[in-house]
Structures are given as C-alpha cells and as structure tokens.
Amino acid sequence: MQPHRTKAPPVDADGARDNGAVLTTVRRWFDPQEVRDVGSTPDYRFSLANERTFLAWIRTGLALLGGGLAVAGFLPPLHIPHLREALAIVLMALGGLIALRAIDHWARCERAMRLGQPLPASRFPALLAIAVGLGAVLLLVAIVLPGT
Amino acid sequence: MTQPVPQESQPPAPHPPLTPGDTQAERTRLSWRRTTLSATLSVLLIGRLAVHDNVSPLGALAIALALICWLALMWLTHRRITAMSHRVPATIGRTLPAVALTIVAFAVIGIILVVVGGVVV
C-alpha cells in the first residue's frame, strides 16, 4: 500500500523484524496504549510538535482533497475526455493517502521518541513533491498542446 | 525576543511544568483550528459537488455523510482543545487516527461522487 515503508531504511528494527509488519503498524495507529507502553514519556513539547506536524500533513491532504473537489465541481470539461474526472480522483486519492501516511508517521515518530531512537526517515515528502511536480507538468502539456 | 530562562531547581519531572511564555499548547490549538477550517472548506466543496445539477439520492447521502464526518471532526477538535487547556500534556488517545479517518472518508465520498457522476452523465 505504501511502498515508501518497504524501501525506507530499517530505522524501526522492531517493525522490520515482525512478520506482520503492516498489521502491527496499523494496530499501532489505533492502539495508543501499545504506543504509550514502550519507552518513557518524552517532553510534552516534542509530543505537541509531533501532533502539529500530523495536523500540518492533514491540512496538506485536505488541500489536495479540496483541489480535487474544486476541479470536479468548477472546472469546465477539458479537451481530453475524462481528464477532469481523472485529475479530480487522483487529487482526492492523494489527499486520503496523505492522511493515512500522516497517522503512520505520527505513530512512528511517537514510538521513536519514547524509545529514544532516531526519528523515522521517510521518502514520502520527496516522492509527493516529485509526483505533484510531474503531474503539474503533464497537465500543463495536456492542456496547452490541444489548443495550439 | 526575550526567551524566559527556565529556572529548574529540582530535577525535571516526567511532565515538566508549563514554563511562562511557552506557546506550545497555543500553537497546537491554533493548528487544530486551521485544520477544522480546511475541513470545513472541503465539506462545502463536497456539498457543491453533490448539488451540481440537482440533488440526487446519492448526493443527499453524500452530504449527510460528509456532515456527520464534519461534526465528528469538530467534536474531536473540541475535545482535544479542551483537554489541552486543562492539562498539558493531555493524553491523546485515538483522536489522531479518528481525524485521519474522517479525511479518508471525505476523499472516499468525493471520489464516489465523481465516479458515479461521470458514469451517469
């Protein structure tokens, strides 16, 4: 589901050792007790910063979601059939994916802070930036080319 | 900007006391508020999409579900902000996964609206 996790450097050795790593990860999203039982409570400022980072990602997801909704609701049909709908769906799916990734990253950061481990490295921001950039270029080409 | 120097005579407790001028809780509260604003905008856009031409049964269902999710998000935010104002650090429980799920629900509602609308038109 999220390829960045399998490719990411194995900072979370505990998760990598697990056979059902994905299931364990998902369980950690919803089971605060499991996250809270390991290690020691970090300075609350770090936890609040982690929470704000999560919320910032949620807003990023909401922005893409809102962009997709606006494309579907306000954009006139484009030259290429169904391009408008495809763009809207991709943007909204990306928004939902970012929300899921936000909770995953939050849980992993919280766990790392409790265990005194380095914060999890992630390629997701880079991948997202490349995807959005490429999408913008492709879209520009798709819109400009038929007009010329 | 003058940074208040923390005068810690005793060793730091597991939950260090809120130092004067510490804006962490306030910044987090404002972050929650910004998030609810963004979510409200998304719900309005879902409503716009749902009543594009007329209100179909699916559109009404979408609006109802989106409103429920929005109310859930408002409730979660309110609960979190209240907890933070009473006690820092406030335990967070399952609030954040629930928030993420409401966003996913918005995305699913929007995608269904576009897919069904595209098939029907």
Side-chain angles (χ1 to χ4, degrees):
Chain A
M1 192 176 82
Q2 287 170 321
H4 74 276
R5 189 183 300 127
T6 49
K7 282 189 221 148
V11 280
D12 191 354
D14 199 44
R17 219 187 304 128
D18 235 358
N19 273 337
V22 175
L23 260 182
T24 308
T25 310
V26 172
R27 209 176 59 233
R28 274 181 200 148
W29 298 355
F30 294 99
D31 195 353
Q33 210 57 49
E34 185 172 338
V35 172
R36 209 169 293 133
D37 278 349
V38 297
S40 57
T41 308
D43 188 327
Y44 74 91
R45 297 175 192 86
F46 298 154
S47 292
L48 288 180
N50 195 18
E51 185 176 336
R52 286 197 299 275
T53 307
F54 166 83
L55 290 170
W57 275 110
I58 286 291
R59 287 194 299 278
T60 307
L62 277 170
L64 286 177
L65 175 67
L69 288 166
V71 163
F74 295 103
L75 208 64
L78 301 173
H79 298 293
I80 302 169
H82 297 305
L83 178 62
R84 184 183 59 164
E85 283 74 19
L87 176 62
I89 289 171
V90 166
L91 281 174
M92 286 189 277
L94 214 50
L97 179 72
I98 288 173
L100 285 180
R101 189 266 172 188
I103 190 65
D104 179 55
H105 193 69
W106 174 82
R108 280 146 55 92
C109 282
E110 202 69 16
R111 191 177 156 79
M113 287 194 297
R114 298 194 69 96
L115 292 173
Q117 292 171 346
L119 291 181
S122 176
R123 293 191 177 125
F124 185 81
L127 290 178
L128 180 68
I130 291 170
V132 170
L134 272 182
V137 169
L138 285 178
L139 207 63
L140 210 59
V141 170
I143 289 172
V144 168
L145 271 190
T148 52
Chain B
M1 210 168 91
T2 53
Q3 189 77 12
V5 181
Q7 295 159 348
E8 286 183 318
S9 48
Q10 70 260 35
H15 305 319
L18 200 58
T19 47
D22 188 345
T23 53
Q24 294 279 327
E26 186 183 4
R27 283 167 62 196
T28 311
R29 180 167 57 78
L30 291 171
S31 196
W32 277 99
R33 282 282 168 242
R34 285 199 297 278
T35 307
T36 57
L37 266 178
S38 299
T40 306
L41 188 68
S42 288
V43 172
L44 289 176
L45 285 169
I46 286 178
R48 170 68 174 72
L49 197 60
V51 291
H52 196 53
D53 298 319
N54 49 12
V55 187
S56 61
L58 181 81
L61 183 67
I63 291 177
L65 286 177
L67 275 180
I68 290 172
C69 288
W70 182 79
L71 281 175
L73 193 62
M74 292 297 131
W75 177 71
L76 287 166
T77 302
H78 178 75
R79 218 180 48 155
R80 179 69 188 143
I81 287 177
T82 314
M84 268 194 302
S85 67
H86 290 326
R87 198 167 74 94
V88 172
T91 51
I92 193 145
R94 296 192 171 100
T95 305
L96 299 188
V99 167
L101 282 188
T102 56
I103 308 310
V104 173
F106 286 152
V108 170
I109 291 169
I111 288 173
I112 289 176
L113 277 176
V114 171
V115 167
V116 174
V119 169
V120 167
V121 169

